[in-house]
Amino acid sequence: MIRSTPSIPIPRTLPLLPLQDKVLLPGIVTRLQVSRRDSIPLFEKILRVYDSRELSKCIIGVFPIHTPDANTTDSEQDRNKKKSKNSGINSAEDALGAGSSAGQVVPYRPGNSGASSNSALNPAHIHSTGCAARLIRLERAVGGFTVVLEGIVRLRLNKIISQSPYFEADVTTLPDKAVDKNDQELQDQIVTLRSTSKEFVSLLQSLKLPAPVLTQLQKFLENVGTIPGQVVDLLMSTIESTYDEKITILDAVDLKMRIPKAVELLTRQIHVLKISQKVHDNVEGKLNKKQREFYLRQQMAAIKEELGEKDAGEDDEMTIIENRLNAANLPPEVQKAADRELKRLRKMQPASSEYSVIRNYLDWLGDLPWAKSTEDMLDVERARKQLNDDHHGLEKVKRRILEYLAVTKLQQLKGDVKGPILCLVGPPGVGKTSLGRSIATAMGRKFHRIALGGVWDESEIRGHRRTYVGALPGLIIHGLKKCEVNNPVFLLDEIDKVGSRGHHGDPSAAFLEVLDPEQNNTFTDHYLNVPFDLSKILFIATANTVETIPAPLLDRMELITLPGYTYAEKMAIATNHLLPKQIRLHGLSPEDVKVTEQAMFKIATGYTRESGVRQLERELGAVVRAKAVEYAEAQERKLSNVQPHIEYQPHVAISDIEDILGQEKYVNEVTERTPTPGVVTGMAYNGVGGGILFIEVSQMPGKGHLQLTGSLGEVIKESAHIALSWVKGHGYEIGLTNSRGQNIMEKADVHIHMPSGGTPKDGPSAGIAMVCALVSMFSCETVPATTAMTGEFTLRGLVMPVGGIKEKVIAAHRAGVRKIIMPLRNQKDVVADVPNNVREEIEFVYASTIWEVLREAFEGRIVAREGTAPAAAGGGLDSRL
């Protein structure tokens, strides 16, 4: 049985949508292109007032417009006659153009929207009879709106209430009266309508329409005895008729007037179809079979849905597959492969094992977003605000994303802008993953994260070949299916932890094509075996270190380093992001927890020692949980009236931190130390950030041997030997020996140790620190505990630049260092990368020779012996550099 339009209350006052050359009947769903100046304000208001899920609650009155000359012009009559002559198979197809979840669908004809005139409308030209319509869909379009409306019930226009900014009127509903079984005249008209409709259906059968379609249409027409008004409205909206004829049907509120007119028009359509059948038989071979069957199957599915008899078990499986493939808008090469597999599938039995393999393959082809994409939000200022609101600092990566948006905005007409391949490198907890999500939000794109940690099989990236049982596409194609668009933001998380080459292939090598902007427009998954364009995807990879990423893969990505946060940045992040998040997660309000700035600083400095903010968030969570317990106890005291005078205190002071979190976990490593001869503070950098490194040197009676401990690598061992050789060779100039030929280690052994032996250490950047430690030990002079240094040096005494300057400086700042000695050629790194607040609190000394390092480290207590002039030589070398 057909589902009648649900009973919806119609307000007495309705906004009006005037239509020109178009008539909407009850129960009919139609699409309109609205561009009238007197109608656009109406839909602007609807967009502001109604949510997209509440559009169906919006009721408007749709009324046709008639010109001062009520008769149709000659050109219109000629156009209608021409349309009737050419209405052979098209009329048959229009007759099947019914079915939606809400009513019957009239095929949409672009350019005949009926609401596109911008001339001023005289209220007297609005027809007195119209139709109440429910809004199903509303979308912005060029010059106006695209709307989908469903007719509900006829209306009588009583009077116009308002004309600006859009028409509003007082209306009266004109519902169809119930069929009177005792009215013989009406019953005779219904019998005539039924017989004419059956003749119309039989004629459609001769046009070789699919039998299921005709069967469903016949079932619908069997309801003519109970709902003749709806049957007439459906038939009149599908057959060819003039504008005046449709208005006549609209005006015919009485069924006794409407049915005879409908029978007359239907009889005329039958004669037209009989003539067009002859023409159709002659040109049938010229009509593309595939197009005809697709259209008819679409109509059949719509009719089934409208009749409430849609049953997946009864649907033709081949039709479903073909419809999905057609709707996917496949590229020519992919369409060719799909047609080939579909042809094979038609010849197989469903019980065949290969049947399900081909069926799954075609399902994947139909589900992928070959031509569907989201529109980028290319508002640079909006994107900048979004990124700044979500993340504190990280200026480099923000600037790179804004550059990409600006270039895309300037070249969007050319369509040749390819997404960059970014790689965010930094220690854990600095916001690499959340930054990817924030970028997707700023661009208005969908976001998908692919976790690559532990991926060891190449097939997880490229997919399995269909020859294997249970074969599936790889993670890239899976992500595209989930996103349902071909231009999402893909976050390749932990790309530095992808498995190495093995008997399952090399997964990192599989990314060479995925992350190559010149090749990924033809990425071929092993399962699909057809190319898919990945060039519209914005790939963002994350890594803690680049050392484990193969060089060819690293060459394809644009590296952006995210260093650790300073204390000032941590304080801002904790105040603006972490603390409000923890308060919300624990069921409290911002007024219930107030952490003072001093308490927040103590948490950041005394309970965390990391580059990111994960541990800081955990500690803040512990503070919030403690306040949640106090809040709950205060609420219980109020309810039980036990000690009600003890009120809840939302403030967290610095004195409360130790009671909540316990003793401080970290102390200032530098300021707590007493300067000792032979101990110097160095600076280190690893994959998870920077840190300080203490170098301890001692001597003992022996025969001049050097002992190295502390889990040291080969490079750092070589630096120790170079440092000792230089000190032995310049012992007289430094003042460690009394004569040039004297060996300071003639009767002593030297032991160099670096604490934290469980942590491997390597690299050349501790060279100058080892020299200072050796000189300090031999001379019994101390280097201030708040002075740190980094830099490689040569046997000639030249200080060479090193890497990781920003991470090292930030870590030294966290540890309490107030003076840093580093190579002169690293000055540009300090100026470009180190935050201003850190530069203001640390004294930077730049040295080009080891003599300058010794002078600054020992604050002038170690100088070259007069007459040796080694410093001048060193200065000459530096000037030549």
Side-chain angles (χ1 to χ4, degrees):
M1 295 291 294
I2 183 171
R3 293 179 299 175
S4 60
T5 303
S7 177
I8 300 176
I10 308 299
R12 186 64 185 262
T13 302
L14 287 179
L16 300 189
L17 174 62
L19 294 185
Q20 190 170 5
D21 298 331
K22 195 170 185 68
V23 177
L24 178 65
L25 296 175
I28 306 303
V29 175
T30 187
R31 183 191 302 268
L32 299 174
Q33 191 74 22
V34 178
S35 58
R36 294 187 63 95
R37 286 179 295 179
D38 52 11
S39 299
I40 287 180
L42 168 61
F43 295 102
E44 293 281 4
K45 180 179 179 181
I46 292 174
L47 278 181
R48 292 193 304 269
V49 175
Y50 290 89
D51 185 74
S52 60
R53 293 171 293 184
E54 299 178 345
L55 284 178
S56 59
K57 298 180 181 180
C58 180
I59 307 299
I60 62 177
V62 181
F63 285 77
I65 302 173
H66 59 80
T67 58
D69 181 9
N71 297 324
T72 306
T73 63
D74 294 339
S75 61
E76 289 175 335
Q77 292 177 356
D78 293 341
R79 190 163 60 248
N80 291 329
K81 290 179 182 180
K82 181 178 180 181
K83 195 187 302 182
S84 298
K85 291 180 181 180
N86 297 329
S87 61
I89 188 65
N90 293 330
S91 297
E93 292 169 347
D94 285 349
L96 300 177
S100 76
S101 60
Q104 293 76 38
V105 177
V106 178
Y108 171 56
R109 298 180 176 88
N112 190 20
S113 64
S116 59
S117 175
N118 280 324
S119 59
L121 176 63
N122 188 343
H125 295 164
I126 300 178
H127 196 63
S128 60
T129 307
C131 180
R134 179 166 61 98
L135 192 59
I136 295 178
R137 186 181 305 165
L138 177 59
E139 298 175 346
R140 288 189 180 274
V142 178
F145 293 88
T146 299
V147 298
V148 179
L149 300 174
E150 177 199 1
I152 301 176
V153 66
R154 285 174 171 79
L155 296 176
R156 179 72 66 192
L157 179 62
N158 298 327
K159 63 178 179 178
I160 300 293
I161 297 177
S162 172
Q163 300 183 32
S164 178
Y166 51 84
F167 285 94
E168 288 185 287
D170 179 81
V171 298
T172 303
T173 58
L174 303 173
D176 289 343
K177 296 181 179 179
V179 177
D180 187 1
K181 300 293 184 180
N182 299 322
D183 190 337
Q184 189 59 41
E185 180 182 359
L186 179 60
Q187 292 299 323
D188 292 341
Q189 291 178 350
I190 293 175
V191 170
T192 304
L193 178 62
R194 181 183 290 111
S195 61
T196 307
S197 301
K198 287 183 177 180
E199 183 181 359
F200 178 71
V201 173
S202 64
L203 187 58
L204 294 180
Q205 288 177 336
S206 63
L207 293 176
K208 299 180 181 180
L209 266 68
V213 177
L214 297 173
T215 301
Q216 297 298 334
L217 185 57
Q218 288 171 345
K219 289 182 179 180
F220 170 69
L221 295 178
E222 288 175 0
N223 297 280
V224 68
T226 56
I227 51 171
Q230 292 187 29
V231 173
V232 169
D233 291 339
L234 168 65
L235 294 175
M236 292 304 100
S237 64
T238 55
I239 67 174
E240 296 292 342
S241 57
T242 65
Y243 180 68
D244 289 341
E245 290 168 345
K246 290 182 178 179
I247 288 185
T248 302
I249 296 297
L250 180 66
D251 289 337
V253 180
D254 189 354
L255 292 176
K256 293 183 181 180
M257 298 176 59
R258 194 188 315 169
I259 294 176
K261 181 63 177 177
V263 170
E264 176 186 350
L265 297 176
L266 191 58
T267 302
R268 185 187 69 187
Q269 186 67 40
I270 290 173
H271 290 307
V272 173
L273 289 177
K274 287 180 179 179
I275 297 173
S276 64
Q277 181 182 359
K278 297 179 181 179
V279 179
H280 175 265
D281 292 339
N282 296 330
V283 300
E284 183 181 17
K286 300 179 182 180
L287 184 61
N288 187 294
K289 181 180 179 182
K290 182 177 178 180
Q291 292 178 346
R292 185 177 72 251
E293 288 179 353
F294 170 73
Y295 182 80
L296 296 180
R297 288 189 178 110
Q298 288 289 93
Q299 299 297 337
M300 179 179 67
I303 292 174
K304 281 187 177 183
E305 186 176 354
E306 177 59 31
L307 295 176
E309 298 178 357
K310 186 173 183 179
D311 186 356
E314 298 179 0
D315 286 340
D316 183 7
E317 191 171 9
M318 295 298 133
T319 303
I320 295 176
I321 298 174
E322 190 172 1
N323 290 345
R324 291 175 63 185
L325 294 174
N326 288 328
N329 194 15
L330 305 178
E333 184 176 350
V334 182
Q335 183 70 53
K336 183 178 179 181
D339 292 341
R340 182 179 64 251
E341 295 298 326
L342 188 61
K343 184 177 180 181
R344 291 180 58 200
L345 189 66
R346 293 182 188 276
K347 299 177 181 179
M348 291 183 180
Q349 294 296 328
S352 172
S353 59
E354 195 173 355
Y355 183 90
S356 60
V357 174
I358 299 178
R359 170 66 195 270
N360 290 337
Y361 175 74
L362 293 175
D363 285 343
W364 273 98
L365 290 182
D367 290 340
L368 290 178
W370 300 95
K372 185 179 180 182
S373 60
T374 54
E375 185 177 354
D376 286 341
M377 295 182 183
L378 302 178
D379 190 338
V380 177
E381 287 300 324
R382 177 185 176 279
R384 178 183 284 110
K385 183 178 184 302
Q386 177 74 40
L387 294 173
N388 290 334
D389 290 344
D390 291 347
H391 290 82
H392 185 84
L394 308 178
E395 298 301 329
K396 279 189 176 181
V397 64
K398 291 179 182 178
R399 182 169 64 249
R400 182 62 184 89
I401 295 303
L402 294 177
E403 289 171 355
Y404 170 68
L405 289 179
V407 172
T408 304
K409 186 174 184 179
L410 295 175
Q411 296 188 358
Q412 59 182 343
L413 297 179
K414 299 181 181 179
D416 57 353
V417 179
K418 297 180 180 179
I421 313 296
L422 305 180
C423 183
L424 308 181
V425 182
V430 296
K432 299 185 294 296
T433 302
S434 59
L435 182 61
R437 186 175 287 104
S438 178
I439 290 172
T441 304
M443 297 178 64
R445 292 191 180 187
K446 292 191 176 183
F447 175 80
H448 181 69
R449 172 180 171 268
I450 299 177
L452 298 178
V455 172
W456 54 276
D457 192 346
E458 178 188 357
S459 299
E460 295 191 50
I461 309 301
R462 283 187 173 275
H464 301 80
R465 300 191 185 277
R466 283 189 289 146
T467 53
Y468 297 105
V469 177
L472 285 173
L475 294 173
I476 303 297
I477 299 299
H478 267 281
L480 287 167
K481 179 183 177 182
K482 183 178 180 180
C483 292
E484 299 180 344
V485 292
N486 60 10
N487 64 337
V489 174
F490 268 17
L491 183 76
L492 305 178
D493 212 4
E494 309 291 356
I495 198 171
D496 57 327
K497 298 175 180 61
V498 175
S500 59
R501 184 179 183 87
H503 64 281
H504 289 283
D506 188 354
S508 61
F511 278 109
L512 295 180
E513 180 184 6
V514 175
L515 300 182
D516 192 335
E518 302 299 328
Q519 299 180 24
N520 62 6
N521 60 336
T522 57
F523 170 73
T524 302
D525 186 273
H526 287 162
Y527 181 83
L528 298 181
N529 204 29
V530 290
F532 194 99
D533 186 3
L534 303 181
S535 62
K536 298 179 181 179
I537 300 176
L538 174 57
F539 286 102
I540 302 176
T542 68
N544 296 132
T545 177
V546 298
E547 295 176 359
T548 57
I549 302 177
L553 180 58
L554 193 63
D555 180 63
R556 283 163 167 78
M557 298 186 292
E558 180 180 344
L559 296 183
I560 299 178
T561 303
L562 277 66
Y565 294 115
T566 64
Y567 281 129
E569 292 172 334
K570 285 187 175 183
M571 293 282 290
I573 293 171
T575 303
N576 300 328
H577 299 280
L578 302 183
L579 184 59
K581 176 184 176 182
Q582 290 298 321
I583 293 175
R584 184 177 66 256
L585 292 177
H586 290 85
L588 298 174
S589 63
E591 293 75 18
D592 297 331
V593 180
K594 302 286 186 180
V595 181
T596 64
E597 184 177 352
Q598 294 80 5
M600 187 76 75
F601 186 77
K602 183 174 183 179
I603 296 173
T605 57
Y607 295 87
T608 66
R609 185 60 55 86
E610 57 177 345
S611 299
V613 292
R614 286 179 181 167
Q615 184 62 30
L616 178 59
E617 185 175 7
R618 296 188 191 102
E619 300 298 338
L620 288 175
V623 172
V624 174
R625 286 193 297 272
K627 300 305 291 183
V629 173
E630 295 181 14
Y631 184 82
E633 291 175 346
Q635 295 297 319
E636 292 175 359
R637 286 196 298 268
K638 286 184 179 180
L639 294 176
S640 60
N641 202 24
V642 177
Q643 296 179 333
H645 60 281
I646 302 178
E647 297 183 355
Y648 169 73
Q649 297 295 330
H651 293 280
V652 179
I654 189 172
S655 57
D656 302 324
I657 298 301
E658 201 164 302
D659 296 334
I660 297 174
L661 300 180
Q663 294 293 329
E664 290 189 47
K665 299 178 182 178
Y666 303 96
V667 295
N668 199 314
E669 302 175 43
V670 172
T671 57
E672 297 295 329
R673 281 182 173 256
T674 301
T676 305
V679 178
V680 172
T681 304
M683 302 164 65
Y685 171 72
N686 53 38
V688 295
I692 61 172
L693 185 68
F694 295 106
I695 300 174
E696 301 175 350
V697 180
S698 65
Q699 64 176 337
M700 63 212 77
K703 298 181 180 180
H705 297 299
L706 173 63
Q707 185 177 358
L708 301 171
T709 58
S711 189
L712 308 182
E714 291 299 324
V715 177
I716 201 169
K717 287 180 180 180
E718 292 178 356
S719 296
H721 284 286
I722 295 172
L724 182 59
S725 298
W726 190 89
V727 172
K728 290 168 64 177
H730 295 80
Y732 178 74
E733 289 88 340
I734 301 174
L736 303 179
T737 62
N738 297 322
S739 63
R740 290 185 179 275
Q742 184 179 353
N743 184 2
I744 58 176
M745 291 182 59
E746 183 176 359
K747 296 181 180 181
D749 290 342
V750 172
H751 186 176
I752 299 179
H753 175 68
M754 295 185 183
S756 301
T759 304
K761 309 169 189 69
D762 204 359
S765 60
I768 63 174
M770 288 183 175
V771 173
C772 291
L774 288 168
V775 173
S776 173
M777 185 266 298
F778 285 123
S779 65
C780 294
E781 295 287 348
T782 61
V783 176
T786 56
T787 298
M789 58 194 74
T790 183
E792 178 184 2
F793 91 108
T794 68
L795 278 175
R796 294 182 298 164
L798 299 180
V799 179
M800 309 300 291
V802 293
I805 292 298
K806 181 176 182 180
E807 291 79 5
K808 292 178 180 179
V809 171
I810 291 176
H813 177 261
R814 282 198 297 263
V817 171
R818 290 299 174 261
K819 180 178 180 180
I820 294 178
I821 304 172
M822 65 174 58
L824 177 64
R825 286 157 64 181
N826 283 123
Q827 182 177 5
K828 62 182 185 302
D829 300 314
V830 175
V831 175
D833 298 333
V834 177
N836 292 331
N837 64 312
V838 176
R839 295 206 304 267
E840 292 172 357
E841 297 179 11
I842 294 179
E843 176 189 357
F844 289 93
V845 177
Y846 305 102
S848 58
T849 68
I850 192 64
W851 295 102
E852 297 173 3
V853 173
L854 293 174
R855 184 180 65 247
E856 295 295 336
F858 293 96
E859 299 178 336
R861 299 191 301 273
I862 298 294
V863 294
R865 190 186 298 268
E866 292 184 7
T868 58
L877 289 172
D878 181 65
S879 65
R880 288 195 297 273
L881 289 174

